[in-house]
Amino acid sequence: CALPPRTAVSTNAPDLWSGRMALTVEGDAGQSFSGLFVLEGGPEHGNLALSTPLGTVLAALRWAPGHAELRSSHGVQTADSLDALLRDALGSTIPIQALFAWLRGDAATAADWQADLSQINDGRLTAVRAQPLPRATLRIALDH
Amino acid sequence: DGLKSLETFMQNTHSAQAEFTQEVTAPSKNGQAPRVKTSSGSFAFERPGQFRFDYKKPFVQTIVADGKTLWLYDADLNQVTERAQAKALGSTPAALLASAPNLQALTKDFTLESAPEQDGLQWVHATPKAKDGQLQSVRVGLRGEQLAALEILDSFGQRSMIRFDKVQANAALPASTFDFKVPQGADVLKQ
């Protein structure tokens, strides 16, 4: 189906997205998180910061070709790729590369993940990884 | 001085209701102008250990501490996060406001010192004793003996300034003020 034209979302310049993000991994609260997020850059170079509503940063993720770094209250973790780092830190991975496309309303594919872009013009996105278990749901609500 | 005002506030204000405006300033990177995000809503607390932030703008988000559990509800994501309050409060700014019954209890988690008067407010500078926490420092601003501001600087350099107004001290709060009911169909995440 043809996607409706993307309306410009005021606070979201092409390479800057902010809003709230929640990852729920069934039966594994350790891998789950929710918070306010700011996502900048793109799949090659970028960063993602996750904060509490009261304004304290929970985690700051940065990546560039050959290097990825996660700073959180547990200290600093590094790896030579974003996927490797997310797998170490979260035990599974969030499809950050596809996420940039989804947020622009482009239906990119990401291994194991199905994205629902039907409400992306209202700044809402849901992506589900049914397999491999445990089932994971990524939900995003963009700031208007 | 700041410490005297904070002590009087903690002794005389058992509960309160207020409106708040929050400005979060992300650390500016390589010379860019720092981004500021503003939100607002209502706030209430009752000693010991109960408080709630009801964010209304730009989105609906509720934080309720009922004395045992800290609940966070995001309406758009329809998700509730539930966390034992003891685990979450030790070094969070909320401890300063509500859950600590008196100054001495606060000194368990924070080193407190009076800071110079600024914007017409008396200030207390609080540094968390736990080194691995997310906080660098918290400053509490008081107008006379009443809470006026809370400034949080986290370990990433992000600053959050919460200003309170229309503060009604010792307001009679309905018993259910700090009861949190999980909304129908919301996802609950125990952490």
Side-chain angles (χ1 to χ4, degrees), chain A residues 1-143:
Chain A
C1 63
L3 281 173
R6 267 231 9 81
T7 51
V9 180
S10 59
T11 55
N12 290 307
D15 54 3
L16 172 75
W17 307 91
S18 72
R20 273 132 314 120
M21 175 188 286
L23 175 72
T24 312
V25 179
E26 256 154 47
D28 189 341
Q31 282 186 36
S32 305
F33 62 83
S34 83
L36 282 67
F37 80 93
V38 175
L39 177 65
E40 269 184 293
E44 293 309 313
H45 293 265
N47 55 69
L48 169 67
L50 202 63
S51 305
T52 66
L54 283 169
T56 50
V57 173
L58 292 165
L61 188 63
R62 275 191 340 186
W63 61 89
H67 179 70
E69 178 186 294
L70 171 64
R71 281 171 59 209
S72 71
S73 53
H74 309 304
V76 180
Q77 284 171 277
T78 57
D80 51 18
S81 83
L82 181 55
D83 269 346
L85 180 60
L86 287 171
R87 215 176 297 284
D88 299 346
L90 278 181
S92 71
T93 181
I94 315 173
I96 298 246
Q97 281 81 351
L99 184 56
F100 279 101
W102 294 339
L103 289 171
R104 284 192 302 272
D106 304 341
T109 58
D112 308 328
W113 289 85
Q114 261 67 39
D116 170 1
L117 304 183
S118 58
Q119 292 184 300
I120 193 62
N121 281 346
D122 304 331
R124 297 288 182 283
L125 163 68
T126 304
V128 175
R129 187 196 64 214
Q131 299 293 342
L133 294 177
R135 181 185 166 87
T137 306
L138 177 69
R139 273 199 294 268
I140 285 182
L142 289 176
D143 292 339

Side-chain angles (χ1 to χ4, degrees), chain B residues 125-144:
Chain B
H125 186 89
T127 312
K129 291 185 173 171
K131 272 295 148 263
D132 61 357
Q134 300 164 311
L135 294 173
Q136 257 181 62
S137 67
V138 178
R139 290 185 343 127
V140 186
L142 297 127
R143 186 170 291 113

